[in-house]
Amino acid sequence: MDMLSIDHILKRNQLSVTDSRKKILELFKEHNGALAHNDIEKKTGEKFDRVTIYRTLQTFVEKGIIHTIPTPDNSVRYALCKDECSKGHHHDNHVHFVCDICNVTYCLDSVVTPEVNLPQGFKPSLIDVVVTGRCKNC
């Protein structure tokens, strides 16, 4: 993992380059699936407290660095956004898959969310499609 690219992402989003932001962003870049707050807490050990992790995640969501993924158990997971996302404008219109066996959450970038034809006057701001089942590794 190239630390310069992490610094670049933070600076491009007008964020201070702090140890907590660098470490959390590094975890996302190294991890294949989505991460929950608890996953990040475990992987960073006692180095960062719960509130620091929460605030960092919220900042990353607001800046379009990561996006949220709802799960069947009503918890939230986070995954890296693609380059098209920016502050207040998420463009992660893809399906998410949660494995019932290993509990890993995948962003299925090649599967676009279906078009939803809403009644006149309704305007969607977010469409979440979560599919559950067995992943290819299980």
Side-chain angles (χ1 to χ4, degrees), residues 41-92:
E41 202 171 353
K42 286 179 186 174
K43 291 178 189 307
T44 58
E46 295 179 14
K47 191 169 182 177
F48 307 114
D49 64 54
R50 205 175 186 121
V51 174
T52 299
I53 295 170
Y54 176 77
R55 287 183 181 152
T56 301
L57 293 172
Q58 288 307 111
T59 299
F60 285 178
V61 169
E62 290 168 9
K63 293 289 188 174
I65 297 170
I66 61 174
H67 62 278
T68 58
I69 303 165
T71 61
D73 64 356
N74 291 324
S75 62
V76 177
R77 295 199 180 193
Y78 304 87
L80 277 176
C81 288
K82 303 303 173 216
D83 289 335
E84 302 86 43
C85 294
S86 61
K87 183 177 180 180
H89 295 48
H90 286 273
H91 301 286
D92 289 293

Side-chain angles (χ1 to χ4, degrees), residues 12 20 48 61 69-70 91 94 102 107 136:
R12 181 182 72 205
S20 59
F48 307 114
V61 169
I69 303 165
H91 301 286
H94 56 261
C102 67
C107 291
K136 65 182 179 181

